[in-house]
Amino acid sequence: MTLVMGILNVTPDSFSDGGRWDTADAAIAQGIRLAEQGADLVDVGGESTRPGAQRVEPDEEIARVVPVVRALTERGIAVSVDTMRAATAAASLEAGATLINDVSGGLADPAMVAVVADAGCDYVAMHWRAHSTQMDGLDRYDDVVAEVRDELAARVDALAAAGVDPARIILDPGLGFSKVGPSNWPLLADIPGWAGDARVLIGASRKRFLGAAIEREGRDASAASRDHATTAVTTLAAERGAWAVRVHDAGAARDAIAVVSAWQNADHTQE
Ligand code: PMM
């Protein structure tokens, strides 16, 4: 059954008030809430990757993420860490994280592959072309599915060459990353076309391209109004066998996946 990865962004724009410990406390409380709502994994991130975002200092990223990872894993909650930096990944694994979610697929920090190979942990390799300040300008594809397939395959080859077990690698099309609008849809419509048999993570939650689809129907398309559209993507991704979805609303995703499972297991001979 498709897993739910709950999003926990420990960034100042998410938790604007208070000092670091207030921020960590708020983040820990939200991580616990996500797990209670049905998240199988809580994905902790200390660096925003929204379009145009500036990078945070490495020490600051570690300071934001590690206390939250430790507090959640101590409570038995499975944690992944959303980072492009090897040092943050290593500190997070040390603190109990079991999966590294690297939106750059190892391109942003050449030291990442060795950390993942040494740890033998699960690793999300996302399709990525450049950092957030430049990515929107790189939404140029002749055939988006074929290009994402080939660029991800190159990352898998590099990871395997560095000693990462290919079975540990989860592929992600990087919805919204160097994909501003229409180029996201073929990647959802043809998951095997870029992923083959690999495990797949889909991160569509509240993204701009969902807003654009809603707006075409004359609906409110602000980020806060995209949860139903997100749940529609979760439903279809689960129906197509995605390994996990990365979402803000863990409870809604859980419900959608339960419905897909009941639908797929329907047996008309049952009472
Ligand atoms: N999207 C964001 C951040 N991290 N990680 C993966 N693997 N896949 C994604 O699609 C992804 C990600 C940006 O979204 P957010 O700002 O809502 O976290």
Side-chain angles (χ1 to χ4, degrees):
M1 205 150 82
T2 300
L3 302 177
V4 176
M5 177 186 274
I7 300 172
L8 182 52
N9 288 322
V10 193
T11 47
D13 31 340
S14 305
F15 303 96
S16 49
D17 302 329
R20 174 159 299 151
W21 289 108
D22 287 344
T23 302
D25 284 347
I28 293 161
Q30 172 63 2
I32 294 168
R33 243 186 329 266
L34 285 165
E36 286 171 353
Q37 289 165 353
D40 298 288
L41 273 169
V42 174
D43 190 42
V44 181
E47 178 170 61
S48 176
T49 49
R50 73 177 184 281
Q54 301 293 325
R55 302 216 63 190
V56 299
E57 292 300 318
D59 289 350
E60 175 64 20
E61 187 189 18
I62 290 176
R64 288 178 185 176
V65 163
V66 167
V68 179
V69 173
R70 191 167 287 120
L72 294 178
T73 56
E74 276 171 8
R75 286 168 171 78
I77 297 170
V79 169
S80 60
V81 171
D82 186 344
T83 184
M84 292 183 260
R85 287 202 179 93
T88 307
S92 301
L93 290 163
E94 179 81 28
T98 52
L99 183 155
I100 298 301
N101 172 24
D102 179 354
V103 298
S104 82
L107 284 170
D109 184 345
M112 180 65 96
V113 289
V115 168
V116 176
D118 282 353
C121 60
D122 273 354
Y123 178 74
V124 173
M126 199 192 81
H127 177 257
W128 183 90
R129 287 186 160 175
H131 286 289
S132 298
T133 45
Q134 295 129 40
M135 65 181 182
D136 281 359
L138 296 172
D139 180 23
R140 289 193 294 265
Y141 304 90
D142 290 324
D143 178 340
V144 67
V145 172
E147 286 168 57
V148 167
R149 177 196 65 209
D150 293 348
E151 289 169 35
L152 282 176
R155 300 315 308 144
V156 171
D157 288 348
L159 287 153
V164 176
D165 177 356
R168 289 291 196 178
I169 302 172
I170 296 140
L171 299 182
D172 183 324
L175 301 172
F177 288 80
S178 305
K179 299 161 203 88
V180 177
S183 40
N184 292 283
W185 291 106
L187 296 165
L188 286 168
D190 186 8
I191 292 173
W194 53 267
D197 299 332
R199 287 186 285 167
V200 165
L201 173 65
I202 298 292
S205 196
R206 297 181 183 166
K207 287 191 175 165
R208 292 172 292 174
F209 75 102
L210 295 183
I214 299 170
E215 209 161 34
R216 283 197 289 274
E217 301 297 317
R219 305 268 302 157
D220 174 9
S222 59
S225 303
R226 298 175 192 161
D227 279 342
H228 297 305
T230 301
T231 305
V233 174
T234 294
T235 307
L236 291 163
E239 196 270 334
R240 284 155 177 71
W243 173 74
V245 289
R246 181 179 180 279
V247 292
H248 297 88
D249 185 341
R254 192 77 277 150
D255 290 352
I257 293 163
V259 168
V260 171
S261 173
W263 184 303
Q264 289 179 330
N265 293 311
D267 177 353
H268 74 279
T269 63
Q270 272 178 2
E271 295 278 298

